[in-house]
Amino acid sequence: MITRKTAARKKTNGATAREVHPLTELALRACLVASDAAFNIKDFLINSSQMAYLAIRDCEKELDRIERQIDEQLPAAITEVSEPEARELLACLRFSTDLERIGDLLWGVGQRVQSLQIRLPKEDAKELIEMTTTLELMLKQVREGFARRELEAASYVLRADREIDQVYRSLVRRHLQHDDLQKIQHSADVLLMAQALERAGDHATNLAEELFRLIEGRSLRHLPKRQNKD
């Protein structure tokens, strides 16, 4: 039950339309499904919607299916294409792996929210929603960058990951100040959810780095740290 439309497209949205390999279509669809999962986590945090909860579960299952399909079809597909196309297909495999992991992390957040004994305090909910909103935008930008082969989208994702990290550190500092034993379990639940969202942001950053490698032909991971941050 994915609440937003996630249809694969036959052509990219770039200035020059081109035919898209079926595995690339799958990777682009996975980006949409992952952003749907983030959207529904946000909806679940705000409205406690059971429909959103079920949608998160369905997104996780769909991302698993897409990863398996790409993994199974890639060996044969990569022998039938040119070198540039082979690099794109390898990027699809890496995309599906990180997106599947994001789906797992978000489903874990949904399950933890579902099991809470008390409603999230407003301050906790606000910070978790902020992290989820940023993650959703990161995944949208990853998809647009992949579809259009644009580096600006990848640059946005790298910057946005810092925003998620900042909110995560703020939340951790606040919860570590508690000395009330009755709040320990609640703090643990909130921190584990925040940690999962922070890790999902890291996976989205991996996607941005993969997009950079696909377009530029070199990896950001091999650049000096200062240059990478800029």
Side-chain angles (χ1 to χ4, degrees):
M1 185 188 301
I2 301 174
T3 61
R4 296 160 73 194
K5 188 175 181 182
T6 55
R9 300 180 182 179
K10 294 296 181 183
K11 294 186 178 181
T12 66
N13 294 326
T16 303
R18 63 183 182 84
E19 291 299 324
V20 178
H21 192 281
L23 294 186
T24 302
E25 287 185 5
L26 280 174
L28 290 170
R29 174 174 172 76
C31 291
L32 283 176
V33 174
S35 64
D36 277 351
F39 171 85
N40 283 293
I41 283 285
K42 180 173 61 177
D43 186 19
F44 193 38
L45 286 166
I46 294 171
N47 302 312
S48 301
S49 165
Q50 288 303 301
M51 182 175 290
Y53 177 71
L54 295 175
I56 300 161
R57 179 199 63 186
D58 290 347
C59 287
E60 189 269 338
K61 290 181 178 179
E62 177 69 357
L63 289 167
D64 282 348
R65 185 194 67 79
I66 291 174
E67 185 195 29
R68 287 195 303 270
Q69 189 171 348
I70 291 177
D71 185 58
E72 291 168 358
Q73 295 181 12
L74 182 70
I78 206 167
T79 64
E80 301 173 352
V81 297
S82 65
E83 182 179 339
E85 291 170 320
R87 284 198 294 269
E88 178 176 311
L89 295 185
L90 288 172
C92 291
L93 179 63
R94 297 185 182 106
F95 261 58
S96 68
T97 299
D98 277 299
L99 290 165
E100 187 274 338
R101 187 59 187 137
I102 289 172
D104 285 346
L105 290 165
L106 294 180
W107 175 227
V109 172
Q111 289 177 301
R112 194 168 292 276
V113 174
Q114 178 80 337
S115 67
L116 288 175
Q117 299 299 312
I118 60 173
R119 188 175 181 85
L120 277 172
K122 288 184 179 179
E123 192 169 9
D124 290 335
K126 178 183 176 182
E127 289 179 314
L128 292 173
I129 289 167
E130 184 178 351
M131 294 176 76
T132 307
T133 299
T134 302
L135 176 64
E136 181 189 4
L137 292 173
M138 291 167 75
L139 292 167
K140 286 181 177 179
Q141 287 296 307
V142 163
R143 187 195 181 281
E144 288 300 309
F146 193 14
R148 298 172 181 269
R149 298 297 189 270
E150 291 179 356
L151 282 179
E152 179 55 35
S155 298
Y156 168 82
V157 173
L158 295 174
R159 294 192 300 270
D161 184 53
R162 301 171 197 168
E163 297 175 14
I164 288 184
D165 289 345
Q166 288 172 358
V167 177
Y168 174 62
R169 288 194 293 270
S170 172
L171 195 151
V172 169
R173 284 195 299 269
R174 181 162 53 78
H175 276 271
L176 289 180
Q177 293 173 357
H178 289 324
D179 56 6
D180 186 343
L181 294 178
Q182 293 182 347
K183 295 181 179 180
I184 290 178
Q185 182 59 53
H186 169 74
S187 291
D189 286 331
V190 171
L191 291 176
L192 286 170
M193 286 188 279
Q195 183 184 55
L197 293 173
E198 190 269 340
R199 289 172 62 194
D202 289 342
H203 284 285
T205 299
N206 291 345
L207 298 176
E209 292 176 349
E210 184 60 36
L211 181 59
F212 187 96
R213 175 163 54 185
L214 178 63
I215 296 172
E216 291 288 301
R218 57 195 176 99
S219 174
L220 280 177
R221 298 177 186 182
H222 298 153
L223 296 177
K225 288 185 178 180
R226 182 182 299 276
Q227 185 177 351
N228 194 352
K229 290 180 180 179
D230 296 338

